[in-house]
Amino acid sequence: MIRYLALPIVVSGALALSGCFSSSSSSDPTSTVRVIHASADAPPVNVTVNGTNAIEGADYKQAAVLRPTVGTYDIGVDAILPGGDVLTAIGPASLTFEEGVRYDVIAVGSVAGETLEPLILEDEGPAFSSATDFRLRVGHLAPDAPEVDVYLTASETDLGDAEPALTFEYKDVITAGEIPAGDDYRIRVTAGGNLVFDSGQIALPAGADIFVGAVPNTGANADASPISLMAVIGGDVIEFFDVNQDAGVRVVHASADAPAVDILIDDMEAISALEFPDFVPTGRFDDYVSLPAGDINVKVAAAADNSVVPIEADLPLVNAQGYTVMAIGLLGGTPEIQPLVLTDEGRRIATQASLQIVHASTVAGNVDIYLLPAEQTEIGNAVPALSDVPFGASTGYLAIPEGTYNVRVTPAGGGNAAISADGVTVNAGGVYTVIARDGVENAESTIDDLGLILLDDFVPDEV
């Protein structure tokens, strides 16, 4: 399948121009400034101009375009910390923007490695326009990747018969020039003679002025390639992963009264005899069953009789996306057994722990969730981190300061804790998933001993 580069992932609508960074009249001379977030372990950021936010909440692999009046400005980048506090990460630096010049200000490097910095590019002359060609510039923005060769060929060209279009190392940006548009291109990257990235067949449209940055790969199954490609056209971004990276799927049995189940993928047994409250594969961060992108049919069938299928779902899998597929609810009760599919986030952020909480307990009702400091065991007057969370809900990934917490899950609005977990430690740069579950069914057929299923960095590497 041909993938069209012109299909954008549009930047979130968080752009706000301050008065000092916008033209005061239509006749004032302006330049164009594009800001690109390309630091894989940096949190969302605010971009400040003369101390005022000009861009708010820009996240990794997002871009925004500003058109300031020409002049000199103090430009800074503030990292957004858990709780909303900010910390200056870059600058402020005095930058002069000239009439008719297009600038790219790219945040590159690593927060954890203390190498975060701006990479500033200037593009003079008239803006690119063509009915037949596209213009390509390529930047090496992956700090841990070595010098690489980049090949731009037809899709069926053997790599051994091709010459690299360019060779560059970290922070190099090279203009490949104006190239005929077409629907049969392929980008491949080698390091030390070894293929490390393959885009598969892509289409490159006429008239597009494309900046392609090789950035750290933060998708699922990231061992497939150290990089992905971030293609920026104006303020729109689309990311290309290695064509063979595949989607990642893991399965959690969170239905307390359901027997052991088999998981069928397109009617073929993929997982056998999975029992509550187990999961496969290991539950460790980025440890998935790899499946090709595309539509698949998933059936959760009784292990003793595959003709009994309480759950069936069609899933459109996306390359490099991780999925957690859960069976929740009750086979013989209310709420009834059902699938819950989560799209996982694989990016580690150096300034926070990323914590996802899933409510899969059928007997708890709507709940409040507390994250108490390690020295506090009673809720007292504490304010819940999340309130009135319904069954089947996921919090998404919360930005949490690193530390040790006591977790309490109570009925919404107050009451005794239904689930307690003390001494839960999360580290900056970690990714964590917690699933609140029912207890194991006992001989009297009542569900008690509510508990947690822990995934990602809660699972030790040695398990």
Side-chain angles (χ1 to χ4, degrees):
M1 180 179 67
I2 301 172
R3 295 181 293 169
Y4 284 86
L5 190 61
L7 176 65
I9 298 174
V10 179
V11 147
S12 61
L15 179 61
L17 293 182
S18 68
C20 65
F21 208 46
S22 58
S23 180
S24 59
S25 75
S26 60
S27 61
D28 288 342
T30 61
S31 60
T32 300
V33 179
R34 180 167 60 184
V35 180
I36 301 173
H37 187 328
S39 175
D41 71 344
V45 299
N46 299 329
V47 179
T48 64
V49 178
N50 294 341
T52 300
N53 287 347
I55 301 171
E56 297 181 335
D59 210 346
Y60 180 48
K61 292 177 291 194
Q62 289 189 337
V65 178
L66 306 172
R67 291 180 173 83
T69 303
V70 299
T72 299
Y73 301 89
D74 289 332
I75 307 297
V77 176
D78 290 342
I80 302 174
L81 303 178
D85 292 337
V86 297
L87 176 67
T88 298
I90 296 176
S94 181
L95 300 178
T96 300
F97 300 119
E98 300 179 358
E99 183 177 4
V101 180
R102 294 174 299 282
Y103 299 87
D104 285 311
V105 180
I106 308 172
V108 298
S110 166
V111 173
E114 299 182 349
T115 60
L116 188 65
E117 60 179 314
L119 180 62
I120 301 173
L121 312 178
E122 297 183 8
D123 186 14
E124 300 180 0
F128 173 75
S129 176
S130 174
T132 58
D133 299 340
F134 66 91
R135 189 177 81 138
L136 180 66
R137 289 184 299 157
V138 183
H140 187 329
L141 310 181
D144 295 329
E147 181 182 78
V148 297
D149 294 324
V150 179
Y151 297 78
L152 179 65
T153 68
S155 62
E156 297 300 321
T157 300
D158 188 280
L159 200 59
D161 298 330
E163 292 293 328
L166 53 95
T167 298
F168 63 173
E169 58 186 18
Y170 177 52
K171 293 194 292 188
D172 284 347
V173 176
I174 299 175
T175 299
E178 299 180 15
I179 302 169
D183 61 3
D184 187 30
Y185 280 103
R186 184 177 180 184
I187 300 173
R188 283 170 284 188
V189 180
T190 65
N194 298 313
L195 181 66
V196 296
F197 178 87
D198 183 351
S199 72
Q201 186 179 3
I202 60 175
L204 298 172
D209 190 359
I210 308 169
F211 175 77
V212 174
V215 295
N217 182 4
T218 59
N221 305 322
D223 288 345
S225 174
I227 62 170
S228 62
L229 299 184
M230 178 177 66
V232 187
I233 305 176
D236 296 334
V237 178
I238 185 170
E239 184 172 18
F240 287 100
F241 294 94
D242 188 284
V243 70
N244 297 310
Q245 189 160 334
D246 289 343
V249 176
R250 61 186 177 187
V251 179
V252 180
H253 188 330
S255 176
D257 71 339
V261 298
D262 294 339
I263 310 299
L264 310 181
I265 304 294
D266 292 335
D267 291 322
M268 300 292 292
E269 183 179 299
I271 299 166
S272 62
L274 181 65
E275 297 183 343
F276 172 80
D278 294 338
F279 44 80
V280 290
T282 65
R284 289 196 297 268
F285 176 80
D286 200 28
D287 188 7
Y288 294 105
V289 175
S290 295
L291 294 173
D295 295 336
I296 66 167
N297 175 263
V298 178
K299 292 184 176 73
V300 179
D305 181 359
N306 281 180
S307 68
V308 178
V309 182
I311 293 177
E312 180 175 0
D314 293 319
L315 301 180
L317 301 183
V318 175
N319 191 36
Q321 177 62 58
Y323 301 87
T324 298
V325 180
M326 300 173 55
I328 64 173
L330 298 173
L331 185 62
T334 303
E336 66 182 14
I337 193 168
Q338 58 194 271
L340 176 62
V341 181
L342 308 176
T343 52
D344 301 334
E345 173 59 56
R347 186 164 78 93
R348 297 183 179 276
I349 301 176
T351 55
Q352 68 184 54
S354 299
L355 174 65
Q356 176 178 223
I357 303 174
V358 184
H359 182 357
S361 172
T362 65
V363 297
N366 286 20
V367 298
D368 295 339
I369 301 171
Y370 295 83
L371 299 177
L372 306 177
E375 64 275 7
Q376 182 178 344
T377 58
E378 300 296 330
I379 293 173
N381 294 323
V383 176
L386 297 161
S387 300
D388 202 22
V389 179
F391 171 76
S394 167
T395 64
Y397 290 88
L398 307 173
I400 303 296
E402 71 172 358
T404 299
Y405 297 89
N406 297 324
V407 179
R408 300 291 183 267
V409 180
T410 72
N416 295 327
I419 298 175
S420 297
D422 290 339
V424 177
T425 298
V426 295
N427 297 313
V431 177
Y432 304 87
T433 297
V434 175
I435 302 167
R437 61 163 175 82
D438 291 335
V440 177
E441 191 174 21
N442 65 21
E444 288 76 36
S445 297
T446 59
I447 298 172
D448 57 11
D449 187 29
L450 306 188
L452 303 175
I453 300 171
L454 303 179
L455 302 174
D456 295 321
D457 287 342
F458 281 130
V459 182
D461 289 339
E462 61 270 16
V463 170

